[in-house]
Amino acid sequence: VQLQASGGGLVQPGDYLRLSCLFSGRAFNNYRVGWFRQAPGKEREFVAAISRSGTRSATADSLRSRFTISRDNAKNLVYLQMDRLKPEDTAVYHCAADFHRSNAWEYTTQESDYDYWGQGTQVTVSS
């Protein structure tokens, strides 16, 4: 399994970005996916997660009003739409996948559940 995150960059406060995570190597619809981020000097933290079917998802409480996760199983892609970006959103954003054959509607917010990780994409929010 390989995950490739893209779409990061340098933006100004208030701007938006859409991150993409391209999955390859196995049947994508057997994997639930999450986004995590790590800012300099901080621990990695949960951002958002989505079920295999895409019907259910979760976003960190502090980000829910601005970030949205979605997936396109036909294209093996997961997206993270980030609106009204703030300097504190600056971090490396990683996507991760967890093999989960049962209950297509379940997602997980637990970092330890994810077996596969992408290399990350840098998001910098600065004026």
Side-chain angles (χ1 to χ4, degrees), residues 28-29 31-35 46-60 64 67-73 78-79 100 102-109 114:
F28 183 50
N29 58 6
Y31 290 80
R32 48 191 185 182
V33 178
W35 285 98
F46 168 74
V47 175
I50 193 164
S51 64
R52 294 196 290 120
S53 63
T55 55
R56 291 191 180 181
S57 63
T59 304
R64 190 168 299 148
F67 288 18
T68 304
I69 188 171
S70 61
R71 68 188 287 164
D72 184 338
N73 282 353
V78 174
Y79 303 103
H100 188 73
S102 61
N103 298 337
W105 59 88
E106 288 184 342
Y107 56 80
T108 179
T109 63
Y114 289 93

Side-chain angles (χ1 to χ4, degrees), residues 97-119:
D98 167 47
F99 180 74
H100 188 73
R101 289 294 300 274
S102 61
N103 298 337
W105 59 88
E106 288 184 342
Y107 56 80
T108 179
T109 63
Q110 300 304 307
E111 184 175 337
S112 59
D113 285 339
Y114 289 93
D115 300 313
Y116 304 97
W117 291 80
Q119 84 288 358

